[in-house]
Amino acid sequence: MVAAVKVDTQRVGALPVISEFCKRLQLSQIVNTIVPWEGEVPLGDIVEILVANRLLEPKPIYKVGSWATKATLANLYNLTEEKLHDDCIGRALERLAAHGDSVQAALVLRAIDQFGLDVRQVHYDMSTIELYGAYEEYDQGVTDASTPRPAYGHTKSGRKNVKQIQFGINVVRDGAVPISHRVFDGNAPETPTHLTNLQHLARLLPKGELLYLADSKLDSQENLLAVVAGKGKFLGGGTFSTALQEQYLSVRDRLQPLDYCPKSQSHLPVEQRDKYRGVAVKQELRGLVAGRVLCCKYRILFIWSEAKARQEAATRQRHIAKIEEVFAKTAKNLNRYKLTTAKEVTRRLEGARSRYTEGKLFNYEVGVDPEGQLTLHWHLDPKAVARREALEGVFVLKTNLPAKTHSVEAVLRTHKEQIQVERRIGNLKGPLAVAPMFLKNPKRMAGLLYILVWALMVMSLMERQVRKQLKGEPMYGLYPENRPSKAPTGVRLMEAFEYLCIVLVKENGHTTRYLGELDATQKDILTLLDMSPGQMKTCARGCGT
């Protein structure tokens, strides 16, 4: 009698690749070594499962055991669905919140050693995570630094009826790999977070000169001196204050053309590209840090962008037109309807002026004629308009990078790399689905953020290696119609394995697992990642149910 043979398939997607990079990073081993844990399931295994969950199917942290079974992970880690219950996951997140910094430091050192990661240039930025739930018991009181306090604040979405927490993330220039993050209360101001972050980086990174980049929230004497005190270099946006506006107007005639264009216009003829001009002004920074006087010479760079000037001019004209419409209607309906008192007319006009900053360009006078009727005279201030036009298209950079090695063009190019950290924040909020978040307490939120950053680290290292191996050449097969990809993203690389399956052949009570046939694009990616099909097959043998 011939035994029946049953054949089944299970999708594994990019799991074998993710598993390999977690292994290279020694993620599970580092977590198990550093974090005390008494649970039945090793904490390192839980972390790797959650990292895979965020990369493969970023849905709410609920019934992870069931997902791990369907995704073949439970079998890979020799676990049962029941062991990965929600309480186990919650306790794991709380433990990570308390010990995550130590794990992160070890992961960074491992990335430097294993992948040759260059950590000398760090980009920092902040963002918010909107929350579901009231979290009223956490409204008051001081929490420890590792636990954020949910609070109402300025949300990125503009919603005012939800609480939030905030986080700042550090990304290195080399491959835009995230190396650490900080969590903050939902209503914490951004400028002081730089001091906390700089202290954290000093503990995290190997000794050496650091180039620290951030947006205009870095622009405070205390922050800049803190970078100098750590023997580092800073490059950040400057606040275009009234004093700096006057300084710019005094040196405006010294603007020089810059040999720079955005990558999006590099394919255009030179005459069609937006122009940039710039001028540098030397300054001196002096202040007290830890009781000692520090003095640093730095440069203020005024950069004029044709594209920015064009956009701001269009915005100015649009806003002026809207304010003019209100002024004209007010003048037309004067002494009628509600516009019969000077107070009401002034309220209407001031409401229009306050809608946009361009309202300051308008002057008006409400009076009374001999017959007792209200009069209105208004006009645009030509000097104010001319000044506004002269300032359009300008942004400010501040840096203590030496002029001998870093020209204005070089500083501008380096500053534009700040988009890397913004891209990684986009990954957190998009493919990894950090928000909206609903967890039992803020400590678990902090723990989940570690998982998210480590998942992002794994994906970024994959992306970095593929791009380095391509050496500027395009990759084919990731986009429809075989279109070339000059800079493949980690998201696209993992999507290329979306339908990869293992085949389970069951015969006489024994199950044999085989990896599905790899297509040409998947084979190319494995070659670029220094992985062999044999490594994929080894992982496949451990998967399945």
Side-chain angles (χ1 to χ4, degrees):
M1 182 177 180
V2 179
V5 178
K6 185 178 179 180
V7 179
D8 199 2
T9 61
Q10 282 189 318
R11 188 185 298 182
V12 293
L15 176 59
V17 179
I18 294 169
S19 179
E20 171 63 21
F21 269 75
C22 285
K23 182 179 177 182
R24 294 182 187 179
L25 204 52
Q26 295 183 349
L27 178 57
S28 178
Q29 180 181 335
I30 289 172
V31 171
N32 289 333
T33 300
I34 292 176
V35 185
W37 178 249
E38 305 80 25
E40 184 178 1
V41 180
L43 184 58
D45 291 354
I46 295 175
V47 168
E48 289 196 354
I49 289 171
L50 291 176
V51 164
N53 172 266
R54 294 294 88 190
L55 291 172
L56 295 175
E57 193 172 354
K59 293 184 177 180
I61 303 294
Y62 175 66
K63 292 187 177 181
V64 174
S66 175
W67 172 84
T69 300
K70 294 177 182 177
T72 73
L73 273 161
N75 217 64
L76 180 63
Y77 288 94
N78 195 28
L79 300 171
T80 61
E81 180 178 330
E82 292 73 21
K83 291 182 179 180
L84 288 172
H85 51 82
D86 292 344
D87 285 343
C88 171
I89 300 299
R91 290 196 299 270
L93 294 178
E94 291 177 0
R95 192 62 59 90
L96 290 175
H99 299 274
D101 278 358
S102 299
V103 174
Q104 188 66 58
L107 289 175
V108 170
L109 291 177
R110 175 63 183 173
I112 294 171
D113 180 61
Q114 175 68 24
F115 298 92
L117 190 66
D118 186 348
V119 296
R120 292 175 296 177
Q121 181 172 318
V122 174
H123 299 259
Y124 174 80
D125 200 4
M126 276 188 70
S127 192
T128 61
I129 301 172
E130 295 181 5
L131 307 175
Y132 285 157
Y135 298 100
E136 294 177 351
E137 63 270 33
Y138 304 103
D139 280 347
Q140 305 297 328
V142 179
T143 58
D144 62 85
S146 65
T147 306
R149 182 171 60 87
Y152 294 109
H154 181 71
T155 61
K156 300 296 183 181
S157 67
R159 297 170 65 192
K160 298 180 180 180
N161 62 332
V162 294
K163 290 185 178 179
Q164 64 177 13
I165 60 174
Q166 299 183 89
F167 69 95
I169 187 169
N170 294 297
V171 169
V172 296
R173 176 181 182 272
D174 185 9
V177 178
I179 57 170
S180 70
H181 73 283
R182 300 277 83 196
V183 290
F184 303 100
D185 294 346
N187 57 0
E190 183 173 346
T191 298
T193 68
H194 286 283
L195 295 177
T196 304
N197 189 52
L198 288 165
Q199 293 167 2
H200 167 67
L201 290 175
R203 296 190 299 267
L204 176 72
L205 300 178
K207 298 297 181 183
E209 190 171 274
L210 172 70
L211 174 56
Y212 185 73
L213 294 95
D215 59 20
S216 60
K217 297 300 189 297
L218 176 64
D219 186 16
S220 77
Q221 178 171 300
E222 192 175 11
N223 288 338
L224 299 182
L225 285 174
V227 178
V228 175
K231 299 181 180 180
K233 301 294 184 183
F234 60 80
L235 169 54
T239 304
F240 203 20
S241 62
T242 302
L244 282 182
Q245 290 174 9
E246 294 299 330
Q247 187 173 18
Y248 165 72
L249 293 173
S250 69
V251 299
R252 186 181 174 210
D253 58 343
R254 289 164 46 191
L255 288 170
Q256 297 294 322
L258 301 180
D259 182 17
Y260 171 82
C261 80
K263 288 184 179 180
S264 60
Q265 297 184 354
S266 59
H267 65 287
L268 297 175
V270 175
E271 62 274 9
Q272 295 181 20
R273 298 174 184 173
D274 287 324
K275 305 299 187 294
Y276 284 78
R277 298 203 291 267
V279 60
V281 179
K282 295 181 180 180
Q283 297 286 113
E284 187 176 89
L285 184 67
R286 182 184 295 271
L288 283 173
V289 177
R292 62 191 181 102
V293 177
L294 284 183
C295 182
C296 167
K297 292 182 179 180
Y298 71 101
R299 289 178 290 164
I300 295 178
L301 278 61
F302 295 105
I303 309 295
W304 178 86
S305 161
E306 183 180 8
K308 190 172 186 290
R310 185 169 57 247
Q311 293 168 358
E312 291 179 352
T315 300
R316 169 176 50 80
Q317 293 165 3
R318 185 173 65 253
H319 289 174
I320 286 177
K322 290 183 178 181
I323 299 172
E324 283 180 330
E325 183 180 0
V326 175
F327 271 60
K329 285 184 178 180
T330 302
K332 180 180 179 181
N333 294 319
L334 202 62
N335 297 301
R336 295 192 296 171
Y337 309 116
K338 294 183 179 181
L339 302 176
T340 56
T341 65
K343 181 179 180 181
E344 183 60 31
V345 172
T346 301
R347 188 193 66 80
R348 181 75 59 88
L349 298 177
E350 287 299 322
R353 291 182 72 204
S354 62
R355 286 181 63 188
Y356 308 107
T357 58
E358 287 80 3
K360 297 177 181 179
L361 305 177
F362 285 76
N363 292 330
Y364 69 91
E365 182 180 352
V366 180
V368 181
D369 66 15
E371 298 178 359
Q373 295 293 303
L374 294 176
T375 61
L376 172 61
H377 301 282
W378 62 274
H379 68 278
L380 278 168
D381 184 341
K383 290 185 178 180
V385 173
R387 186 178 188 276
R388 183 65 172 256
E389 291 176 352
L391 295 172
E392 287 172 348
V394 181
F395 60 94
V396 180
L397 301 178
K398 292 186 177 183
T399 184
N400 62 341
L401 288 167
K404 291 183 179 180
T405 57
H406 291 78
S407 64
V408 175
E409 289 94 340
V411 172
L412 177 58
R413 289 191 182 92
T414 304
H415 167 71
K416 290 293 184 179
E417 293 170 357
Q418 182 71 4
I419 195 175
Q420 300 290 12
V421 66
E422 296 167 2
R423 186 162 67 93
R424 291 310 181 203
I425 289 176
N427 289 146
L428 280 175
K429 293 194 169 186
L432 301 191
V434 68
M437 185 183 288
F438 179 64
L439 291 171
K440 183 177 180 180
N441 58 56
K443 187 166 286 189
R444 294 186 180 185
M445 298 174 196
L448 179 58
L449 267 173
Y450 280 108
I451 294 294
L452 288 159
V453 171
W454 297 338
L456 189 59
M457 190 177 192
V458 168
M459 186 182 75
S460 303
L461 287 170
M462 291 167 48
E463 176 186 294
R464 170 183 177 270
Q465 179 160 337
V466 166
R467 292 186 179 188
K468 279 186 173 291
Q469 296 281 52
L470 287 172
K471 298 178 181 178
E473 295 296 320
M475 183 176 182
Y476 295 87
L478 294 178
Y479 292 99
E481 302 171 358
N482 207 34
R483 286 178 289 152
S485 173
K486 294 183 178 180
T489 65
V491 174
R492 283 287 183 179
L493 293 172
M494 289 192 297
E495 285 178 351
F497 292 92
E498 183 177 2
Y499 297 105
L500 182 64
C501 295
I502 55 171
V503 180
L504 294 86
V505 179
K506 299 180 180 179
E507 185 177 11
N508 296 328
H510 178 71
T511 301
T512 306
R513 301 174 179 86
Y514 301 93
L515 183 68
E517 185 67 26
L518 297 169
D519 62 31
T521 301
Q522 292 166 347
K523 290 178 180 177
D524 288 343
I525 293 174
L526 292 183
T527 301
L528 294 169
L529 294 175
D530 291 331
M531 288 183 64
S532 66
Q535 289 173 288
M536 299 282 283
K537 292 176 182 177
T538 300
C539 180
R541 294 191 195 104
C543 297
T545 56

